[in-house]
Amino acid sequence: MDEAPRIAIDAMGGDGGPATMIAGAAQARDRDSSLRFTFTGDEAVIRAETARFPQLVDSIIVHCDDVITGDDKPSQAIRRTKSSSMGAAILAVKAGEAAAALSAGNTGALMAIAKLSLRTMHGIDRPALAALMPTLGDNDLVMLDLGANTDCDARNLVEFAVMGAAYSRLALGIESPRVRLLNIGTEELKGTGELKEAAAMLRQQTGGAWRFDGFIEADRLGRGEADVIVSDGFSGNIALKSIEGTARFITDLLRRAFSSSLRSKAGFILSRPAFALLRHHLNPNNHNGAVFLGLNGLVVKSHGGADENGIANAIAVAAKIAREDLTRRITDDLEDFRSHAVQTEGVA
């Protein structure tokens, strides 16, 4: 793949709008001077913002009259693919003019436009949204699906497992990721029929580039006991929002506790380094950049409320998956898994 990937950025998406998106791109360019950008959106606004950053002088700007908002339904967004900044970024990937697209806009709209424009990979029924999450272990974990598919059958979950493992090896450098299915218990008899069937199919995989370690409960997600967590999008999104809400709750609770008295304030001064480390670990900007897996093109979703550092981190994710050819890795892993499954069925 191109060692100087061009990233198409929807400059109008996200709470911070063009100012945050372009400042984030400038920060990403400072970290990696080989990156190149195409900004889609209101040309006058984008030019005014990029003028603040000399490192972005070689960027391409694609003018778009339309912006997809958070209130737009996916069906409405699809009809405005060609006229919107979000659609233009994805179409740049489809045309081969960019290695990946990035948006901080409406997730449902982004998935709808991406799926219709890029189509799913051969052998993939549905794409999934995957993101990195912090743990107490030696590395982060990959979790999917985080909201792209509310209802999933066993085949979908198996495909998510294969795609998540491929992404885990790329993003985390893990040679043989531990894959587990999110469930209400670890016993084999627990869970829905889809979960039990998916587990049976995943247990067929042996000696490959990843291993299936059974079920995991939600209270163990951050313990470092898995590298890939697989669920349907309904459960995955609830788990993600619960984790993010708990992180904010802990941060706010500690802030309130440390400001409750003079003695507490003195304690905060002594414990400030540890508190800063905790805040850094729980800050979603430091883990920004969810990836749509299973499409014939690379699309990254940023948190809508990400700051410029969060945008820079999401751009780094987009550049990495482009350089490492994530799509090819997923294709190879799917072929390997299905080949093994066919052999197992033949023996049976």
Side-chain angles (χ1 to χ4, degrees):
M1 295 296 290
D2 190 352
E3 287 302 312
R6 178 173 294 279
I7 311 299
I9 298 176
D10 170 16
M12 314 307 289
D15 299 345
T20 299
M21 300 301 293
I22 291 169
Q27 187 177 134
R29 186 68 180 268
D30 288 339
R31 298 180 189 175
D32 183 351
S33 61
S34 71
L35 293 176
R36 297 170 293 170
F37 302 111
T38 293
F39 295 107
T40 60
D42 187 315
E43 183 175 6
V45 173
I46 294 172
R47 287 200 182 281
E49 292 296 333
T50 54
R52 300 166 46 218
F53 303 101
Q55 63 269 51
L56 300 180
V57 67
D58 60 347
S59 299
I60 295 173
I61 300 175
V62 177
H63 177 72
C64 302
D65 293 319
D66 206 354
V67 177
I68 303 298
T69 70
D71 296 327
D72 287 321
K73 297 179 180 178
S75 58
Q76 296 172 322
I78 287 173
R79 290 194 293 269
R80 292 149 58 198
T81 296
K82 294 183 178 179
S83 65
S84 66
S85 58
M86 180 184 289
I90 293 172
L91 290 177
V93 174
K94 180 180 180 180
E97 297 167 355
L102 170 69
S103 177
N106 184 321
T107 304
L110 185 65
M111 170 56 87
I113 294 175
K115 186 175 181 180
L116 185 65
S117 300
L118 302 175
R119 305 294 181 180
T120 54
M121 296 169 54
H122 176 71
I124 294 292
D125 183 42
R126 298 181 184 180
L129 185 61
L132 298 179
M133 297 175 58
T135 75
L136 293 175
D138 295 331
N139 52 263
D140 292 342
L141 66 81
V142 172
M143 186 165 178
L144 73 166
D145 178 27
L146 296 177
N149 309 278
T150 54
D151 295 312
C152 298
D153 60 22
R155 174 188 172 188
N156 300 143
L157 295 174
V158 169
E159 291 173 356
F160 295 169
V162 177
M163 294 192 295
Y167 181 42
S168 176
R169 296 204 315 277
L170 184 156
L172 304 176
I174 301 172
E175 184 176 348
S176 181
R178 300 163 295 167
V179 177
R180 304 187 74 171
L181 290 171
L182 181 63
N183 199 355
I184 59 172
T186 58
E187 299 88 348
E188 292 186 15
L189 294 178
K190 287 194 174 181
T192 63
E194 289 79 11
L195 280 169
K196 295 174 186 177
E197 184 180 351
M201 295 168 68
L202 290 170
R203 289 190 185 98
Q204 295 178 3
Q205 194 271 351
T206 57
W210 51 276
R211 72 174 191 261
F212 177 59
D213 279 358
F215 298 128
I216 190 170
E217 295 183 78
D219 64 337
R220 307 299 297 179
L221 292 182
R223 308 303 297 183
E225 298 172 0
D227 304 307
V228 180
I229 303 293
V230 177
S231 76
D232 61 80
F234 184 84
S235 302
N237 190 267
I238 290 177
L240 174 65
K241 297 295 175 58
S242 297
I243 291 169
E244 291 177 342
T246 301
R248 288 192 293 270
F249 170 74
I250 293 172
T251 301
D252 292 344
L253 192 64
L254 288 173
R255 184 181 294 110
R256 181 183 299 178
F258 279 126
S259 62
S260 62
S261 67
L262 288 176
R263 180 176 296 180
S264 296
K265 291 178 181 178
F268 170 73
I269 293 174
L270 294 175
S271 59
R272 183 177 293 173
F275 188 63
L277 181 62
L278 175 65
R279 185 168 55 186
H280 174 82
H281 200 59
L282 296 179
N283 188 345
N285 283 298
N286 297 323
H287 298 84
N288 193 33
V291 181
F292 287 135
L293 301 178
L295 295 172
N296 290 307
L298 301 175
V299 179
V300 175
K301 173 67 175 70
S302 164
H303 283 295
D307 60 19
E308 60 186 69
N309 180 60
I311 298 301
N313 289 333
I315 290 172
V317 170
K320 185 175 182 64
I321 62 176
R323 286 182 170 127
E324 299 291 335
D325 201 355
L326 176 59
T327 302
R328 178 190 57 78
R329 290 190 180 214
I330 291 174
T331 299
D332 291 346
D333 282 8
L334 279 169
E335 290 179 355
D336 178 69
F337 176 82
R338 287 178 176 138
S339 173
H340 176 80
V342 168
Q343 291 174 10
T344 303
E345 291 170 2
V347 172

